[in-house]
Structures are given as structure tokens and as C-alpha cells.
Amino acid sequence: MGKVGVGLAVGCAAVACVIAAAVVGRRVRRRRTWRRAVVVLEELEQGCAAAVGRLRQVVDAMAVEMHAGLASEGGSKLKMLLTFVDSLPHGSEKGTYYALDLGGTNFRVLRVQLGGNSSAILEHDVEQKPIPQDLMTSTSEDLFDFIASSLKEFVEKEGDPELSSVKRRELGFTFSFPVKQTSVSSGILIKWTKGFSIENLVGKDVSECLEQAISKRGLDMRVAALVNDTVGTLALGHYHDEDTVAAVIIGTGMVVNMEWGNFWSSHMPRMSYDVDLDADSPNPNDQGFEKMISGMYLGDIVRRVILRMSQESDVFGPVSSKLSVPFILRTPFMAAMHEDDSPDLRDVARILNDVLEIPDVPLKVRKLVVNVCDVVTRRAARLAAAGIVGILKKIGRDGSGGITSARIKTGSPSKIQRTVVAIEGGLYTSYSIFREYLNEAMAEILGEEVSPHVILKVTEDGSGIGAALLAASNSSPSVDSVKLL
Ligand code: ADP
Ligand code: MG
């Protein structure tokens, strides 16, 4: 009995020891695996760091590349495409004009009524729809049929007898892909970007293709201006404020009239996630800047980091197959997680569960995810700021006295010209932390003396309304265009 008792006691002690060892082992493993997840974040932070010194190198590289791109065709990754827009709308334009805005996530149709006296837009209507995914890789005919039918529906809703009787309507076409313009109203598509890939349109005149689709629908409409979204935004910015010297779109793609999405500099902090994203894209070695800073890609960079964390640790439980689906984590989801201000990070948990099918993520791991979003967004916003200052440097408005000086030559040396940059795009306008980081980096790079003189002005719907303005200022007087007033 005693033996049994002792035996039992020893047995219990041994079991207790085994249990204790298992618990300690699990804790150590959990700590180790947590540590591995933290290491992934730390490496990301180091790899994405963009201190002001590095940003200044990017600024210089941008200005130099712009110079090289202007000096000779093919002289830089920056295409510096001529727009044939030799004057910007000045406020005396009058009448009703239409615009189409194609070039990213959404497709917009607009009608703009211009008053004819100083910068009065009497009214504008916009209709927006997402571009069906299948059309982005379909044929030119399918794409333009979709556009023309949307346009026709929109025109038919005019409801104004005077307008309906007008034969020909003038259209500004915002087509935000690299185009070699042949006139202010025509141009050849050089290549696709931003996930579009319709091979039979490359090398063709996009205005001609659009006009064909429009006339097939029995609509009498002429492309009076073919522009890129930044040119449209610049036109509207300048219409309202003549100190506007440049325009930037921070949305799906990143372009100024120089197609800066393709900018590249070895000074940019690049990581393995960027290399992999590029290799997996339909356009490898292309659009390097765009892939680090635009709304199309930021969510996917975050997805890749979470996937690595999940593979290297067990903080997310078993690796979710959703983490391997490209672009499943769209940038607005990323922004929603980043901007979640609930104490228990409820939105982060919901998005991880609903989008990535990772349930029951503990709070400290949710915080890790927020940190990942923060690092990726901060790098993007800071690089975008450096890009903008690079443009200002090239045109002598960054106060550095670089290529030409920002200071008014005849005035006192402390007088700095007011400089406005028109800015548009969902990433900047809807993602407040991105916007704050961008503004903060601009101030850091420019310094406190110059920075108050550089104003980033949101120009809502600028790319579309601006195209209508350019259609107005470029419409041929012989055309029986809509004249309401
Ligand atoms: P489009 O591409 O249709 O011209 P925008 O230039 O406004 O439209 O850009 C849309 C892009 O902005 C999308 O790629 C999306 O990732 C980003 N975006 C839109 N809303 C948000 C948001 N709330 N937070 C972060 N990014 C956003
Ligand atoms: Mg746009």
C-alpha cells in the first residue's frame, strides 16, 4: 500500500514536472515566436526608414532625372511627355463641356457649366463607377464600348431641351496613362500601367478609338482635349489660383505630367517586399516609384509583411491561405486598420477576420499590424513629398536656389514666391495619416523658412473638371458647341 502510495506520489510529482516543463516550454516558444514577429517589424522599420537626408537625395535625383528626360527622348526613366497644352484656362471660358476621367480605380463622366467671367464654374455633375475588373485586361473595343455607353446614358439624362438640341458636344478626355501626344486632342498609348493591360490599344490613337465608339452609339461628340489627370488637375488649380505651378495625383497611380510613377532612384529605401511585388506584377522593372507610393500597391505591401510574419511566427495562428492572394488587402482596408482608434482595435480584428480570414487575433498582435501599416504609409508619404519637392527644385520653387532660385530676383532676398501645388487622389484626400506624413515631410525637407510659402491645395475632381476646362479653351470656334449663356 505504502509502496503504491509512494509510487503514486512519485508518479504525480513526475506528471506535475512534465506539465510544468510543458507550460514553461510553451511560454518560451510563444515568447520566441512573438520575438520573431517583432523582428520582422523591426527589419521593416529599418528598411523603410526615410530620414530627411535620404529624402533630400531623392529630391535631387528627381530634379536631375527631370532634366535628363527633357534633354533627350529616352534620356531618363521619366518620360517628360509634352502635353501640347500651351496655355492654361484663365477664367473667360464659357459654355457647357463634358469630360471623361479614366485612369485608375474609378471611371467618371462629368458635365461642367462655365460662366465666362472670372473662374466661375456654375455647376458640375459627376457620375462615377468602378471600372469592371475584366475590362482592364480585355480589348480596346470592349473598353471603349463601356465608356461610350456610360457617356451616352449620362448625356441622355441632361433633361435640358436647349442642350438636347445641340448637335455636337465638346469633350475633355482624361486618360491617365503614358501617351505620346500628337496634338492637344490626340495621342498614342505608349504602354499601360496601374493593372491595365489591353494589348491591342498600345500604339493606337486613344481619342480616335473613343470617337469611333461614341459615333457607333449615335452621339455627336468630339475630343477637344486629351490630357493626363495631372494636367487636368493643374488646369483647375490654375483656374482658381494662378500661383499653381504643378499638380500631383496621389491615388491609384502616381503621375505628374512627367509620368513620375516610373521614377527610380537607388536612394529610395527598398525592401524584399518591393522586389517581390515588382517581380509578381505584370510590368516588372517598371513604375518603381508608383509601386512604393501609390494606393494601388500599399495594401499589398502590408499583406506581404503580414504573410512573412505569419510564416515566421505563429502570432496569427495557422497561415491563412488568403494571405497569398495578391491585392486582397486593398489600401482602403489598410487605412481603416491604421486609423482604427477604438481601444481594442476592433476594426483591425474585423478586417483581419473578414478579409484575410485570420480570426481571434490578440490585441498586441493587432497593434503589430497597425505598426506595419504605419511604416509602409510613412515611407510612401515621405517619398511622395520628396518627389514633389524634386519637381519644385527643378522649377526653382524649393528655396534651395538650385537649378533656378525661388527668391524673386528683383525683390529682397527674404521674399519667397508663393507656390501652389494642386493635389488630388483618394490616398491623399481620404487617408488622413498619409496626408499628415506627407505634409510633415514637405515641411522637413523645405525647412521653416520656405515651407510656409509652399501650399498643397486639394483640387477635388480636378482631373475631370480640368479636362472640361481644357476642352473649353481648346474647342474649335467653328464647331457648333453647347453655348448656354
Ligand atoms: P482614381 O484612381 O479612380 O482616379 P483616385 O485618384 O482618387 O481615383 O485614387 C483612388 C485610390 O485611392 C485607390 O487606389 C485607393 O487605394 C486609394 N484610396 C481611396 N480611398 C482611400 C482611403 N480611405 N484610404 C486609403 N486609400 C484610399
Ligand atoms: Mg484619377
Side-chain angles (χ1 to χ4, degrees):
M1 186 70 181
K3 270 187 185 168
V4 173
V6 171
L8 198 65
V10 170
C12 277
V15 170
C17 265
V18 170
I19 291 172
V23 169
V24 171
R26 240 193 333 265
R27 255 192 228 134
V28 169
R29 256 200 315 280
R30 221 181 286 142
R31 226 175 289 136
R32 253 192 238 131
T33 179
W34 167 251
R35 183 71 210 135
R36 282 202 292 270
V38 170
V39 166
V40 172
L41 174 65
E42 286 170 353
E43 284 170 359
L44 183 75
E45 281 168 343
Q46 281 162 17
C48 289
V52 71
R54 194 183 253 258
L55 293 182
R56 293 214 170 96
Q57 289 174 312
V58 176
V59 167
D60 291 346
M62 180 66 85
V64 166
E65 288 293 319
M66 286 174 78
H67 188 80
L70 286 171
S72 66
E73 201 173 323
S76 161
K77 276 185 151 275
L78 293 179
K79 293 201 174 55
M80 307 306 290
L81 298 164
L82 288 181
T83 63
F84 284 77
V85 173
D86 49 16
S87 67
L88 290 168
H90 34 73
S92 62
E93 295 77 8
K94 191 171 169 176
T96 296
Y97 295 87
Y98 286 81
L100 285 178
D101 183 358
L102 174 78
T105 316
N106 295 303
F107 163 68
R108 298 175 188 85
V109 195
L110 301 94
R111 179 172 33 239
V112 180
Q113 285 183 37
L114 306 173
N117 50 32
S118 180
S119 304
I121 292 177
L122 299 179
E123 212 182 309
H124 83 272
D125 306 311
V126 190
E127 237 177 62
Q128 172 174 310
K129 41 175 112 167
I131 301 161
Q133 196 73 29
D134 55 322
L135 283 188
M136 292 167 67
T137 51
S138 173
T139 63
S140 150
E141 292 73 19
D142 288 349
L143 177 71
F144 284 110
D145 276 351
F146 165 78
I147 296 174
S149 67
S150 307
L151 184 60
K152 187 166 188 213
E153 270 171 39
F154 184 75
V155 170
E156 279 169 353
K157 281 192 222 142
E158 270 167 2
D160 184 320
E162 203 178 336
L163 264 176
S164 310
S165 64
V166 173
K167 273 212 208 88
R168 175 169 283 189
R169 293 171 177 82
E170 301 272 334
L171 183 68
F173 184 21
T174 306
F175 183 77
S176 309
F177 299 95
V179 164
K180 186 170 175 56
Q181 301 263 163
T182 43
S183 75
V184 74
S185 60
S186 59
I188 310 281
L189 174 64
I190 299 172
K191 64 169 187 179
W192 288 106
T193 55
K194 297 177 271 192
F196 277 72
S197 173
I198 303 173
E199 283 316 311
N200 74 333
L201 192 57
V202 176
K204 285 200 190 137
D205 186 324
V206 286
S207 296
E208 206 177 294
C209 293
L210 174 63
E211 283 179 346
Q212 274 167 10
I214 289 175
S215 80
K216 231 169 66 187
R217 304 254 154 194
L219 209 58
D220 193 3
M221 219 167 207
R222 188 189 75 104
V223 176
L226 173 68
V227 296
N228 154 301
D229 50 1
T230 51
V231 179
T233 300
L234 180 63
L236 182 61
H238 190 265
Y239 187 74
H240 289 308
D241 186 335
E242 62 180 19
D243 287 339
T244 308
V245 294
V248 178
I249 309 285
I250 303 195
T252 302
M254 288 295 308
V255 280
V256 294
N257 53 359
M258 60 210 223
E259 289 290 331
W260 85 353
N262 205 30
F263 170 67
W264 179 251
S265 157
S266 56
H267 298 300
M268 297 201 294
R270 194 168 190 239
M271 292 202 68
S272 60
Y273 306 107
D274 305 299
V275 174
D276 295 345
L277 183 148
D278 181 54
D280 294 346
S281 73
N283 54 347
N285 293 321
D286 230 6
Q287 304 295 106
F289 201 41
E290 182 169 281
K291 285 172 182 162
M292 290 171 89
I293 63 178
S294 89
M296 175 155 179
Y297 299 101
L298 296 191
D300 206 55
I301 299 175
V302 170
R303 173 190 68 82
R304 287 166 188 274
V305 180
I306 298 178
L307 173 62
R308 165 97 40 101
M309 276 183 176
S310 184
Q311 285 166 337
E312 295 198 2
S313 74
D314 63 1
V315 298
F316 292 101
V319 180
S320 164
S321 62
K322 294 284 172 193
L323 278 172
S324 302
V325 179
F327 297 107
I328 194 166
L329 186 68
R330 310 220 62 104
T331 303
F333 287 132
M334 165 196 180
M337 294 201 288
H338 195 182
E339 300 191 323
D340 184 355
D341 56 5
S342 64
D344 55 346
L345 298 176
R346 223 169 306 137
D347 290 333
V348 177
R350 182 181 49 77
I351 291 168
L352 290 174
N353 185 68
D354 296 357
V355 179
L356 297 176
E357 291 181 5
I358 308 175
D360 308 322
V361 176
L363 184 58
K364 71 173 187 177
V365 180
R366 295 179 209 170
K367 286 185 183 160
L368 214 55
V369 171
V370 173
N371 282 329
V372 171
C373 298
D374 190 67
V375 175
V376 172
T377 292
R378 191 160 186 270
R379 179 184 69 162
R382 292 177 73 79
L383 285 175
I388 296 170
V389 180
I391 297 167
L392 297 181
K393 179 166 194 151
K394 172 70 186 71
I395 58 179
R397 296 287 193 120
D398 71 324
S400 72
I403 294 173
T404 50
S405 175
R407 286 148 224 272
I408 296 173
K409 306 238 165 33
T410 51
S412 79
S414 61
K415 191 123 198 268
I416 300 169
Q417 243 174 301
R418 179 173 177 269
T419 294
V420 178
V421 177
I423 193 156
E424 211 228 80
L427 195 59
Y428 188 81
T429 56
S430 307
Y431 193 168
S432 54
I433 302 179
F434 181 96
R435 187 167 60 243
E436 280 159 24
Y437 279 151
L438 192 152
N439 294 342
E440 182 185 277
M442 290 279 300
E444 258 181 67
I445 306 169
L446 290 167
E448 58 188 35
E449 195 194 346
V450 177
S451 139
H453 300 271
V454 175
I455 297 138
L456 297 185
K457 214 182 212 182
V458 171
T459 313
E460 219 173 308
D461 277 330
S463 52
I465 299 175
L469 288 174
L470 288 164
S473 55
N474 289 285
S475 64
S476 62
S478 60
V479 167
D480 180 15
S481 113
V482 184
K483 295 275 182 258
L484 272 182
L485 298 161

